[in-house]
Amino acid sequence: MQHFSHTPVLLDEAMAALALTPAGIYVDATFGRGGHSRAIMAQLAANGRLFAVDRDPDAIAEGRDWAAIEPRLTLWHAAFSQLPALLTAAGFDQKINGLLLDLGVSSPQLDSAERGFSFMRDGPLDMRMDTTQGLTVADWLAGASADDIAVVLQTYGEERYARRIAQAIVQQRLIAPLTTTHALAALCERAVPRREPGQHPATRTFQALRIYLNRELDELRALLSSVTPVLAAGARVVVISFHSLEDRLVKQVFNAPSAAQAVPKKIPLTAAELQQRYPPSHWRPLGRAITAQPFEIAQNPRARSARLRVAEYQP
């Protein structure tokens, strides 16, 4: 397996947002190549704990040797939506003090042509985060209708020419199947009549297909809605996102008002009844979204679109 270097985005900001304590228990829900995990571990004492999760078998393989010699680290190959179930299955009943998510596709995934995430390198049209299961993009495009493809491109890529691209894909299938990244990128170039400045015509299509096939927004929504029972009071949840759909979802969850706030004031309910029937939001957002500084963007262009949001859990 080829080894890749990877520079975590917003590393210092993420560590500050977690408000790490040496004896704390933390989760890196997107282990990647372990950059954030190593920064967390550097601040933990001997009785601290770190749980790390990743869907990508290559990421797990990269971290396996470290986990074998580091008793404070537990590394799981799984989707992060399974975190509460993983903790339960492991018999771990303590509460988590902090949770970090670095969303989207990582630099090593983009740089690996055989993973099919990037149209900059020719490779199989795969795009699976977990290469051990699920449909590849090529598999899905081979059977999806033009309507279904257009909906995916519009919903998850906000592609204005979704219908044109979808129809071109279906027409291309009559000639030969789409099996490579360069073939799909070239099709998008032909189908898109107007280019956005500084953006390849295939950018939104690749983003949409990746998000849809990997259920990325569903996974994020599932974790944020199920993780509160395993969080300690005051736990920090830090999310780094790279496009508007992710960031919008995180912002909506963190800033969701208490259900009781939507109840008309004239309804005759006591404070206790309101608490029981309309539970309050358990999130307290801490500040606005944090973006990368110019010097980090100069060193790592991927940081340009990064947004970090942090909230504190209040039971």
Side-chain angles (χ1 to χ4, degrees):
M1 181 180 64
Q2 185 177 0
H3 295 269
F4 295 89
S5 61
H6 175 57
T7 303
V9 172
L10 294 169
L11 178 61
D12 293 341
E13 292 84 350
M15 295 305 103
L18 282 171
L20 295 155
T21 58
I25 303 167
Y26 297 92
V27 174
D28 181 354
T30 47
F31 180 75
R33 292 304 183 266
H36 286 117
S37 283
R38 292 184 185 277
I40 293 171
M41 192 70 78
Q43 298 190 42
L44 296 185
N47 59 339
R49 288 291 302 273
L50 175 64
F51 295 93
V53 183
D54 207 293
R55 300 169 72 177
D56 189 337
D58 289 348
I60 298 301
E62 287 276 352
R64 190 170 291 126
D65 289 344
W66 181 34
I69 62 173
E70 176 51 78
R72 298 171 296 171
L73 173 64
T74 300
L75 184 60
W76 285 314
H77 176 216
F80 56 59
S81 63
Q82 299 175 31
L83 175 62
L86 291 168
L87 292 168
T88 299
F92 190 81
D93 57 3
Q94 299 181 56
K95 299 292 187 180
I96 302 300
N97 301 110
L99 168 67
L100 173 67
L101 295 120
D102 182 5
L103 301 173
V105 63
S106 68
S107 297
Q109 289 169 328
L110 287 171
D111 293 340
S112 177
E114 63 267 21
R115 299 299 299 273
F117 285 107
S118 174
F119 49 78
M120 301 299 292
R121 295 168 175 80
D122 195 22
L125 201 53
D126 194 320
M127 295 198 214
R128 289 173 297 167
M129 293 288 187
D130 186 347
T131 54
T132 67
Q133 60 181 326
L135 291 174
T136 67
V137 167
D139 292 335
W140 187 75
L141 289 179
S145 69
D147 286 343
D148 287 344
I149 296 171
V151 168
V152 166
L153 300 189
Q154 176 61 45
T155 303
Y156 298 103
E158 299 176 313
E159 172 57 68
R160 63 183 297 192
Y161 299 110
R163 176 64 58 183
R164 293 175 64 105
I165 296 171
Q167 290 173 342
I169 289 171
V170 172
Q171 291 171 359
Q172 174 61 36
R173 288 191 326 218
L174 300 175
I175 304 170
L178 282 166
T179 60
T180 68
T181 55
H182 276 187
L184 178 58
L187 180 147
C188 292
E189 286 189 282
R190 296 191 299 269
V192 172
R194 294 182 182 179
R195 298 193 177 196
E196 297 181 49
Q199 182 168 285
H200 192 283
T203 299
R204 294 181 181 274
T205 293
F206 271 65
Q207 171 188 297
L209 293 171
R210 190 203 81 223
I211 291 173
Y212 173 71
L213 265 297
N214 290 290
R215 300 182 64 251
E216 293 179 34
L217 295 181
D218 294 336
E219 285 289 316
L220 177 59
R221 191 178 293 107
L223 177 64
L224 294 179
S225 65
S226 66
V227 75
T228 53
V230 304
L231 297 178
R236 297 285 183 88
V237 175
V238 178
V239 184
I240 302 171
S241 59
F242 290 87
H243 62 75
S244 59
L245 295 177
E246 294 171 336
D247 184 57
R248 193 179 307 146
L249 173 57
V250 175
K251 183 178 179 181
Q252 288 172 348
V253 171
F254 284 172
N255 291 276
S258 163
Q261 292 178 247
V263 179
K265 294 181 180 180
K266 294 182 180 180
I267 292 182
L269 292 173
T270 66
E273 288 172 328
L274 279 172
Q275 179 79 9
Q276 182 178 9
R277 297 190 188 186
Y278 305 99
S281 171
H282 292 300
W283 301 108
R284 182 170 74 92
L286 303 178
R288 300 189 177 199
I290 297 171
T291 57
Q293 297 295 317
F295 73 87
E296 181 177 3
I297 295 173
Q299 295 173 354
N300 184 5
R302 181 172 178 258
R304 182 181 297 108
S305 59
R307 298 287 183 275
L308 182 153
R309 293 188 186 274
V310 55
E312 187 176 85
Y313 173 62
Q314 297 180 328

